[in-house]
Amino acid sequence: MFSARKLSGVFRAIRFHHFRSHSVSRASPNLTFVPACLPPDPAEVEELQHFVSNSKRLFVMTGAGISTESGIPDYRSEGVGLYARTDRRPVQHAEFVRSASARQRYWARNFVGWPQFSSHQPNTAHLVLRDWEKLGKLHWLVTQNVDALHTKAGSQRVTELHGCTHRVFCLACGDRILRSELQEHFEALNPTWKAEAFGVAPDGDVFLTDEQVRSFQVPACRKCGGILKPDVTFFGDTVSQEKVSFVHQRLAESDSMLVAGSSMQVYSGYRFALAAREKKLPIAVLNIGPTRLDHFASLKLNSRCGELLPLIVAQDPTR
């Protein structure tokens, strides 16, 4: 299984600290960042039901669109995504590593946004996929999201392709801590610093002016004094080959692929759809708006994940 032994303690701490209960209430969806779409068509529901029923070892890949109903915006949705609402763009990996001012700006904005971002809860779609795993229908889940909502929902057979904002590590020595622990260090270093945020981004970032962040203090690694970075793959960086190989192995064990809430514009996830096509696996796509898979997917559905997935009955494939 992909997860280095040295991370196991951090993973366990995250599960205990944030996710002690898997009985998450099925609250009404937050549609602030969900693009407008029509209710599921009965014929489409039947088609997806047929697809899932015929799947014995389903490989699922999720993107930002599955978390919009939890109140987290995505990047590309028409009218409501980050790129549609603002000219702001996420930090680039090279800029973060090279520039102390870029890190100061990133961490100041992340510090302000963290209490809200870390409080987001799984929605119905996350819970349905958790239940499919328990039934043995879902063989493996790969999420491109960094919000930990699948883990909060109770999914265990999951790979966080781009990492998770709930973890932080040192670029020099590799030491890892919880993001919640780092928040306490920020508070201790900046006891009088205050900033009012406006806007929110998919990775927990908020919008602040350069003037607001100028006096913000950023801690260094407590063990070696190195640079602290969230355990996520920033834009411009690459997913580790170890993780890519692991996901390819899980895909090779699967008999079908479902993409939920992703336009698959980023190659790090798109490559697995290409691999599924090469293996001639049936592919279903559930996403509001066009995707890179539309021309070769077996099935394309233009509906909310949290509205359509609960309508699908997933039975234990061994029965």
Side-chain angles (χ1 to χ4, degrees):
M1 178 180 295
F2 177 83
S3 58
R5 186 172 300 173
K6 65 181 180 179
L7 299 184
S8 61
V10 175
F11 288 147
R12 285 196 298 269
I14 290 173
R15 286 182 181 278
F16 179 78
H17 186 74
H18 293 287
F19 322 134
R20 276 179 271 184
S21 173
H22 292 164
S23 58
V24 183
S25 62
R26 296 176 184 253
S28 299
N30 182 335
L31 303 183
T32 303
F33 300 113
V34 180
C37 67
L38 297 173
D41 181 274
E44 293 184 339
V45 176
E46 186 174 345
E47 286 184 286
L48 184 58
Q49 179 65 70
H50 181 72
F51 177 89
V52 173
S53 296
N54 286 340
S55 302
K56 306 301 181 186
R57 297 171 67 83
L58 182 61
F59 179 95
V60 178
M61 175 163 284
T62 66
I66 200 172
S67 293
T68 54
E69 293 176 57
S70 292
I72 301 175
D74 64 8
Y75 288 108
R76 298 177 178 85
S77 286
E78 183 177 352
V80 293
L82 179 72
Y83 296 164
R85 293 181 289 112
T86 175
D87 60 358
R88 300 276 181 151
R89 293 296 181 266
V91 65
Q92 295 288 314
H93 175 79
E95 180 188 19
F96 184 92
V97 173
R98 180 180 62 245
S99 170
S101 61
R103 294 193 295 272
Q104 180 190 45
R105 183 168 58 252
Y106 173 86
W107 281 122
R109 291 164 19 175
N110 190 268
F111 169 73
V112 175
W114 178 251
Q116 177 184 354
F117 185 79
S118 61
S119 68
H120 287 296
Q121 294 300 315
N123 62 60
T124 303
H126 297 99
L127 302 179
V128 167
L129 295 178
R130 173 204 63 187
D131 292 343
W132 288 8
E133 177 189 313
K134 289 181 177 180
L135 289 169
K137 173 65 68 175
L138 187 154
H139 175 59
W140 203 264
L141 178 122
V142 178
T143 183
Q144 301 170 85
N145 301 336
V146 297
D147 52 31
L149 292 188
H150 285 297
T151 308
K152 285 185 178 183
S155 291
Q156 296 184 9
R157 300 177 67 84
V158 56
T159 295
E160 295 167 328
L161 188 64
H162 298 146
C164 179
T165 57
H166 288 256
R167 301 185 296 268
V168 177
F169 77 103
C170 174
L171 288 172
C173 73
D175 185 51
R176 296 176 185 267
I177 62 173
L178 293 174
R179 175 61 184 81
S180 55
E181 184 179 349
L182 181 60
Q183 190 75 356
E184 296 175 358
H185 297 330
F186 282 136
E187 292 170 351
L189 276 177
N190 301 276
T192 62
W193 187 87
K194 295 184 183 302
E196 183 177 350
F198 54 97
V200 63
D203 58 358
D205 197 7
V206 297
F207 308 147
L208 299 175
T209 65
D210 290 341
E211 181 64 31
Q212 287 175 300
V213 306
R214 189 162 291 132
S215 62
F216 188 76
Q217 300 297 309
V218 178
C221 173
R222 293 175 301 171
K223 287 194 173 181
C224 75
I227 296 171
L228 294 178
K229 177 183 175 295
D231 191 11
V232 301
T233 302
F234 282 149
F235 283 82
D237 194 9
T238 57
V239 178
S240 72
Q241 188 56 51
E242 180 187 5
K243 186 180 289 190
V244 171
S245 298
F246 175 82
V247 173
H248 275 302
Q249 291 170 14
R250 302 292 77 76
L251 179 62
E253 298 163 354
S254 305
D255 62 6
S256 56
M257 179 177 186
L258 170 65
V259 175
S262 177
S263 62
M264 299 293 276
Q265 293 299 316
V266 179
Y267 179 74
S268 57
Y270 181 60
R271 77 179 100 196
F272 300 111
L274 294 177
R277 180 178 67 169
E278 186 175 331
K279 298 175 187 298
K280 302 188 184 308
L281 299 184
I283 302 172
V285 178
L286 172 55
N287 186 70
I288 302 174
T291 80
R292 292 179 75 177
L293 280 59
D294 291 355
H295 66 288
F296 64 81
S298 311
L299 177 63
K300 169 64 194 304
L301 306 159
N302 200 68
S303 298
R304 286 198 289 113
C305 296
E307 188 171 26
L308 183 52
L309 290 180
L311 303 177
I312 305 305
V313 177
Q315 297 177 337
D316 185 342
T318 62
R319 293 183 180 179

